Amino acid sequence: MVTENYTVNNVDSFIITGFDHLQNQKLLGFLILITYMLILLGNGINLCIILTDRHLHKPMYILICNLAVVDIMFSSTCSTTMISVLLAEIKTVSYYSCISRTFFYHLGGIKACLTLSLMAIDRLIAIRLPLRYHSIVTNSRTFLFILLTWLIGFTLMAVMISVVDSAPYCQPVIRYVFCDYPSMIRAACVNPEPYFLFPAMINLWLLCGQFPFIMCTYAVLAYSVTKLSNNSNRKQMISTCSSHLIVLFSYFAPKLVSNLLTRIGVVLNLTERNAVMIVASLVPSLINPTVYCTRTKEIRKRLSDIFLRKRIVPNHLQVLS
């Protein structure tokens, strides 16, 4: 519903004003730029290692590749806007650019959660049904489920973007630090509350559905690991599961803290909200490749071989030598 205090205009661009009140904007811009470059480097290394090593063409590593693509997409949609505003001092974003960034930003958020769910299920099957794991979890089935999660994400985002695109806009000003659904709805001349019903349902599904499901999965995994008789297998599973848990909490922690503060009546000002948004958007995408590079034995070994310039000899030639 359009309010009487505004005149609806055809907005063809938005002005990002979320950083206007900050001191040392260049410093923050360089920090975001460095973080973004590290995200691209870390996820790029993971992708290159897994794609070029046929021994890593397995379901778990396919899921890690998928998560790397999601991290690059998720961080790129917000980082490029912030870097442009802070370093290039270009505060204007075209309407359709803002719409597309909003689409891919929220698609990345949903896809990350669904990928973490698939990784938890993969580990659960590996530990609970080790003898049947390779017959149940195949590469083709993994690709099928990855495709399904992308279709779910695209469908949900199509609904959200249609709502944003149909909203009437009165002022071309976004008071936040990049384009996303809340910032665009608050820039429209409408009562925002009804427009947040659908995103609230998605957040409820992610935080009260997916997150408890993943945590229950890892609780079962923890119990199963304690029952393993082989000490070596137990250590390997603990290392693998702890890596996944680090990634899981880096993704969900900012969302849980933000929702918890809201529930207990703590009202965040605009600067604090923007700070939470930046952390939630960049930190998980930086942690994920770091965790998988340093804590996954196969990737760590492949990485050390590259940096130490070791010549990798095929197994059948090693036997002959």
PDB file of all heavy atoms in Angstrom, residues 134-150:
ATOM      1  N   HIS A 134      29.321 -46.174  -0.393  1.00  0.00           N
ATOM      2  CA  HIS A 134      29.667 -45.937  -1.800  1.00  0.00           C
ATOM      3  C   HIS A 134      28.548 -46.341  -2.751  1.00  0.00           C
ATOM      4  O   HIS A 134      28.505 -45.852  -3.890  1.00  0.00           O
ATOM      5  CB  HIS A 134      30.957 -46.669  -2.160  1.00  0.00           C
ATOM      6  CG  HIS A 134      32.163 -46.130  -1.450  1.00  0.00           C
ATOM      7  ND1 HIS A 134      32.691 -44.883  -1.725  1.00  0.00           N
ATOM      8  CD2 HIS A 134      32.931 -46.656  -0.447  1.00  0.00           C
ATOM      9  CE1 HIS A 134      33.740 -44.663  -0.946  1.00  0.00           C
ATOM     10  NE2 HIS A 134      33.904 -45.713  -0.166  1.00  0.00           N
ATOM     11  N   SER A 135      27.661 -47.212  -2.304  1.00  0.00           N
ATOM     12  CA  SER A 135      26.521 -47.572  -3.153  1.00  0.00           C
ATOM     13  C   SER A 135      25.362 -46.597  -2.981  1.00  0.00           C
ATOM     14  O   SER A 135      24.560 -46.404  -3.897  1.00  0.00           O
ATOM     15  CB  SER A 135      26.051 -49.002  -2.829  1.00  0.00           C
ATOM     16  OG  SER A 135      25.612 -49.089  -1.481  1.00  0.00           O
ATOM     17  N   ILE A 136      25.273 -45.975  -1.797  1.00  0.00           N
ATOM     18  CA  ILE A 136      24.194 -45.006  -1.544  1.00  0.00           C
ATOM     19  C   ILE A 136      24.572 -43.616  -2.040  1.00  0.00           C
ATOM     20  O   ILE A 136      23.804 -42.961  -2.759  1.00  0.00           O
ATOM     21  CB  ILE A 136      23.859 -44.949  -0.037  1.00  0.00           C
ATOM     22  CG1 ILE A 136      23.322 -46.296   0.455  1.00  0.00           C
ATOM     23  CG2 ILE A 136      22.846 -43.839   0.250  1.00  0.00           C
ATOM     24  CD1 ILE A 136      23.129 -46.368   1.947  1.00  0.00           C
ATOM     25  N   VAL A 137      25.760 -43.145  -1.654  1.00  0.00           N
ATOM     26  CA  VAL A 137      26.201 -41.792  -2.007  1.00  0.00           C
ATOM     27  C   VAL A 137      27.140 -41.880  -3.206  1.00  0.00           C
ATOM     28  O   VAL A 137      28.332 -42.134  -3.065  1.00  0.00           O
ATOM     29  CB  VAL A 137      26.907 -41.110  -0.810  1.00  0.00           C
ATOM     30  CG1 VAL A 137      27.274 -39.673  -1.165  1.00  0.00           C
ATOM     31  CG2 VAL A 137      26.024 -41.141   0.426  1.00  0.00           C
ATOM     32  N   THR A 138      26.589 -41.683  -4.370  1.00  0.00           N
ATOM     33  CA  THR A 138      27.377 -41.703  -5.606  1.00  0.00           C
ATOM     34  C   THR A 138      27.537 -40.275  -6.132  1.00  0.00           C
ATOM     35  O   THR A 138      26.820 -39.364  -5.710  1.00  0.00           O
ATOM     36  CB  THR A 138      26.685 -42.565  -6.670  1.00  0.00           C
ATOM     37  OG1 THR A 138      25.400 -41.983  -6.977  1.00  0.00           O
ATOM     38  CG2 THR A 138      26.495 -43.987  -6.175  1.00  0.00           C
ATOM     39  N   ASN A 139      28.465 -40.105  -7.061  1.00  0.00           N
ATOM     40  CA  ASN A 139      28.669 -38.778  -7.646  1.00  0.00           C
ATOM     41  C   ASN A 139      27.421 -38.275  -8.364  1.00  0.00           C
ATOM     42  O   ASN A 139      27.062 -37.100  -8.275  1.00  0.00           O
ATOM     43  CB  ASN A 139      29.847 -38.810  -8.619  1.00  0.00           C
ATOM     44  CG  ASN A 139      31.183 -38.885  -7.909  1.00  0.00           C
ATOM     45  OD1 ASN A 139      31.254 -38.838  -6.689  1.00  0.00           O
ATOM     46  ND2 ASN A 139      32.258 -39.012  -8.672  1.00  0.00           N
ATOM     47  N   SER A 140      26.763 -39.172  -9.091  1.00  0.00           N
ATOM     48  CA  SER A 140      25.569 -38.771  -9.848  1.00  0.00           C
ATOM     49  C   SER A 140      24.448 -38.334  -8.906  1.00  0.00           C
ATOM     50  O   SER A 140      23.756 -37.343  -9.179  1.00  0.00           O
ATOM     51  CB  SER A 140      25.104 -39.913 -10.746  1.00  0.00           C
ATOM     52  OG  SER A 140      24.824 -41.072  -9.984  1.00  0.00           O
ATOM     53  N   ARG A 141      24.255 -39.062  -7.816  1.00  0.00           N
ATOM     54  CA  ARG A 141      23.227 -38.665  -6.848  1.00  0.00           C
ATOM     55  C   ARG A 141      23.586 -37.360  -6.152  1.00  0.00           C
ATOM     56  O   ARG A 141      22.713 -36.539  -5.869  1.00  0.00           O
ATOM     57  CB  ARG A 141      23.025 -39.778  -5.818  1.00  0.00           C
ATOM     58  CG  ARG A 141      22.279 -40.979  -6.366  1.00  0.00           C
ATOM     59  CD  ARG A 141      22.173 -42.084  -5.348  1.00  0.00           C
ATOM     60  NE  ARG A 141      21.486 -43.245  -5.909  1.00  0.00           N
ATOM     61  CZ  ARG A 141      21.416 -44.441  -5.318  1.00  0.00           C
ATOM     62  NH1 ARG A 141      21.997 -44.612  -4.134  1.00  0.00           N
ATOM     63  NH2 ARG A 141      20.761 -45.428  -5.892  1.00  0.00           N
ATOM     64  N   THR A 142      24.870 -37.180  -5.890  1.00  0.00           N
ATOM     65  CA  THR A 142      25.323 -35.925  -5.279  1.00  0.00           C
ATOM     66  C   THR A 142      25.031 -34.745  -6.196  1.00  0.00           C
ATOM     67  O   THR A 142      24.497 -33.709  -5.757  1.00  0.00           O
ATOM     68  CB  THR A 142      26.833 -35.989  -4.973  1.00  0.00           C
ATOM     69  OG1 THR A 142      27.097 -37.100  -4.125  1.00  0.00           O
ATOM     70  CG2 THR A 142      27.287 -34.704  -4.298  1.00  0.00           C
ATOM     71  N   PHE A 143      25.348 -34.890  -7.488  1.00  0.00           N
ATOM     72  CA  PHE A 143      25.041 -33.839  -8.462  1.00  0.00           C
ATOM     73  C   PHE A 143      23.540 -33.586  -8.537  1.00  0.00           C
ATOM     74  O   PHE A 143      23.104 -32.428  -8.670  1.00  0.00           O
ATOM     75  CB  PHE A 143      25.576 -34.216  -9.842  1.00  0.00           C
ATOM     76  CG  PHE A 143      27.026 -33.930 -10.032  1.00  0.00           C
ATOM     77  CD1 PHE A 143      27.930 -34.960 -10.283  1.00  0.00           C
ATOM     78  CD2 PHE A 143      27.514 -32.629  -9.960  1.00  0.00           C
ATOM     79  CE1 PHE A 143      29.281 -34.695 -10.463  1.00  0.00           C
ATOM     80  CE2 PHE A 143      28.873 -32.356 -10.143  1.00  0.00           C
ATOM     81  CZ  PHE A 143      29.748 -33.388 -10.392  1.00  0.00           C
ATOM     82  N   LEU A 144      22.749 -34.646  -8.453  1.00  0.00           N
ATOM     83  CA  LEU A 144      21.291 -34.504  -8.520  1.00  0.00           C
ATOM     84  C   LEU A 144      20.767 -33.691  -7.338  1.00  0.00           C
ATOM     85  O   LEU A 144      19.937 -32.779  -7.527  1.00  0.00           O
ATOM     86  CB  LEU A 144      20.641 -35.889  -8.541  1.00  0.00           C
ATOM     87  CG  LEU A 144      19.117 -35.923  -8.658  1.00  0.00           C
ATOM     88  CD1 LEU A 144      18.665 -35.299  -9.972  1.00  0.00           C
ATOM     89  CD2 LEU A 144      18.603 -37.352  -8.530  1.00  0.00           C
ATOM     90  N   PHE A 145      21.255 -33.993  -6.144  1.00  0.00           N
ATOM     91  CA  PHE A 145      20.799 -33.257  -4.960  1.00  0.00           C
ATOM     92  C   PHE A 145      21.310 -31.808  -4.978  1.00  0.00           C
ATOM     93  O   PHE A 145      20.611 -30.897  -4.529  1.00  0.00           O
ATOM     94  CB  PHE A 145      21.253 -33.971  -3.687  1.00  0.00           C
ATOM     95  CG  PHE A 145      20.354 -35.108  -3.282  1.00  0.00           C
ATOM     96  CD1 PHE A 145      20.728 -36.427  -3.486  1.00  0.00           C
ATOM     97  CD2 PHE A 145      19.121 -34.849  -2.698  1.00  0.00           C
ATOM     98  CE1 PHE A 145      19.895 -37.470  -3.123  1.00  0.00           C
ATOM     99  CE2 PHE A 145      18.273 -35.879  -2.330  1.00  0.00           C
ATOM    100  CZ  PHE A 145      18.662 -37.202  -2.546  1.00  0.00           C
ATOM    101  N   ILE A 146      22.509 -31.594  -5.481  1.00  0.00           N
ATOM    102  CA  ILE A 146      23.023 -30.225  -5.614  1.00  0.00           C
ATOM    103  C   ILE A 146      22.138 -29.428  -6.567  1.00  0.00           C
ATOM    104  O   ILE A 146      21.769 -28.276  -6.294  1.00  0.00           O
ATOM    105  CB  ILE A 146      24.482 -30.240  -6.096  1.00  0.00           C
ATOM    106  CG1 ILE A 146      25.413 -30.724  -4.986  1.00  0.00           C
ATOM    107  CG2 ILE A 146      24.912 -28.838  -6.562  1.00  0.00           C
ATOM    108  CD1 ILE A 146      26.852 -30.908  -5.418  1.00  0.00           C
ATOM    109  N   LEU A 147      21.778 -30.056  -7.695  1.00  0.00           N
ATOM    110  CA  LEU A 147      20.888 -29.397  -8.661  1.00  0.00           C
ATOM    111  C   LEU A 147      19.534 -29.086  -8.029  1.00  0.00           C
ATOM    112  O   LEU A 147      18.966 -27.995  -8.254  1.00  0.00           O
ATOM    113  CB  LEU A 147      20.704 -30.298  -9.885  1.00  0.00           C
ATOM    114  CG  LEU A 147      19.733 -29.799 -10.969  1.00  0.00           C
ATOM    115  CD1 LEU A 147      20.208 -28.468 -11.543  1.00  0.00           C
ATOM    116  CD2 LEU A 147      19.569 -30.847 -12.054  1.00  0.00           C
ATOM    117  N   LEU A 148      19.033 -30.005  -7.216  1.00  0.00           N
ATOM    118  CA  LEU A 148      17.749 -29.793  -6.539  1.00  0.00           C
ATOM    119  C   LEU A 148      17.810 -28.597  -5.598  1.00  0.00           C
ATOM    120  O   LEU A 148      16.878 -27.777  -5.547  1.00  0.00           O
ATOM    121  CB  LEU A 148      17.366 -31.060  -5.767  1.00  0.00           C
ATOM    122  CG  LEU A 148      16.040 -31.011  -4.990  1.00  0.00           C
ATOM    123  CD1 LEU A 148      14.872 -30.784  -5.938  1.00  0.00           C
ATOM    124  CD2 LEU A 148      15.845 -32.299  -4.188  1.00  0.00           C
ATOM    125  N   THR A 149      18.916 -28.464  -4.851  1.00  0.00           N
ATOM    126  CA  THR A 149      19.049 -27.324  -3.932  1.00  0.00           C
ATOM    127  C   THR A 149      19.141 -26.000  -4.702  1.00  0.00           C
ATOM    128  O   THR A 149      18.614 -24.984  -4.252  1.00  0.00           O
ATOM    129  CB  THR A 149      20.285 -27.478  -3.032  1.00  0.00           C
ATOM    130  OG1 THR A 149      21.476 -27.584  -3.836  1.00  0.00           O
ATOM    131  CG2 THR A 149      20.163 -28.708  -2.142  1.00  0.00           C
ATOM    132  N   TRP A 150      19.792 -26.022  -5.871  1.00  0.00           N
ATOM    133  CA  TRP A 150      19.835 -24.812  -6.700  1.00  0.00           C
ATOM    134  C   TRP A 150      18.438 -24.452  -7.186  1.00  0.00           C
ATOM    135  O   TRP A 150      18.055 -23.270  -7.192  1.00  0.00           O
ATOM    136  CB  TRP A 150      20.770 -25.014  -7.893  1.00  0.00           C
ATOM    137  CG  TRP A 150      22.225 -24.819  -7.573  1.00  0.00           C
ATOM    138  CD1 TRP A 150      23.159 -25.788  -7.368  1.00  0.00           C
ATOM    139  CD2 TRP A 150      22.927 -23.571  -7.423  1.00  0.00           C
ATOM    140  NE1 TRP A 150      24.385 -25.227  -7.087  1.00  0.00           N
ATOM    141  CE2 TRP A 150      24.274 -23.872  -7.120  1.00  0.00           C
ATOM    142  CE3 TRP A 150      22.536 -22.235  -7.502  1.00  0.00           C
ATOM    143  CZ2 TRP A 150      25.238 -22.888  -6.901  1.00  0.00           C
ATOM    144  CZ3 TRP A 150      23.493 -21.246  -7.287  1.00  0.00           C
ATOM    145  CH2 TRP A 150      24.829 -21.572  -6.993  1.00  0.00           C
TER     146      TRP A 150
END
